[in-house]
Amino acid sequence: MTETHTKTPAQKALKLLLILAGIGLVVAALFAFAPKGFDLDLKQVGQGKPALVFIYDANLGVSSQQAAIINQVRDALDAKTKNSMHFLMAKIGRPDAKTFMEKYTVRAADLILLDKSGNVIKVTRSLVDAKGVTAMINEVMLTK
């Protein structure tokens, strides 16, 4: 004999609430672990300030590590230097990132240092330590 259980409206509402709460937690976790402090507006390249652009690929562990190092270095910079250049991120999967990567012939996890006119000064493959990122920033600040 097979028994059929009918769910009450309260049980259905509770199940829906639990599903929505789970989705909310996943979304919150994605935001919590996303790299912080990077502008995604790649149109700023060549607009009067030098730029350090990081090609971020969420599928590469090195991307999160590199983003954290760049943030650490930027946080340690003086206000003048920090405001004198753009710290940008090209996120793999976005059309603007694809266009940028094709234009500059770069790949995932690259760091691209550009002058104020958008000319490439240097392209470096991740993982660049804090000392290396600082040297890149100093290099562009000296050529400003």
Side-chain angles (χ1 to χ4, degrees):
M1 180 166 127
T2 308
E3 292 184 30
T4 328
H5 295 285
T6 315
K7 292 187 178 180
T8 66
Q11 289 173 319
K12 289 179 183 177
L14 180 61
K15 183 177 179 180
L16 180 62
L17 183 63
L18 290 173
I19 290 170
L20 291 175
I23 292 170
L25 285 173
V26 169
V27 169
L30 288 174
F31 280 110
F33 294 110
K36 309 256 186 300
F38 286 91
D39 195 335
L40 300 175
D41 184 7
L42 298 172
K43 291 178 185 170
Q44 295 180 67
V45 170
Q47 299 299 313
K49 283 185 181 181
L52 179 66
V53 181
F54 176 51
I55 310 297
Y56 181 85
D57 185 344
N59 295 316
L60 297 176
V62 71
S63 286
S64 294
Q65 292 173 303
Q66 188 65 70
I69 291 168
I70 295 168
N71 277 330
Q72 173 192 5
V73 169
R74 186 179 47 194
D75 289 346
L77 293 173
D78 62 84
K80 183 180 179 207
T81 304
K82 208 181 294 191
N83 294 325
S84 295
M85 68 181 295
H86 297 293
F87 291 86
L88 305 171
M89 181 179 284
K91 289 179 99 172
I92 298 290
R94 291 176 49 113
D96 58 339
K98 183 179 184 210
T99 302
F100 180 88
M101 291 172 69
E102 289 170 354
K103 179 178 180 178
Y104 292 101
T105 318
V106 293
R107 56 198 169 159
D110 281 350
L111 278 91
I112 303 88
L113 186 65
L114 303 118
D115 68 13
K116 64 183 180 181
S117 300
N119 300 310
V120 175
I121 296 172
K122 179 185 258 182
V123 176
T124 305
R125 190 84 178 136
S126 289
L127 187 67
V128 179
D129 63 13
K131 195 176 190 178
V133 172
T134 302
M136 289 178 79
I137 292 167
N138 290 337
E139 184 175 345
V140 77
M141 289 291 117
L142 294 175
T143 60
K144 241 176 79 161

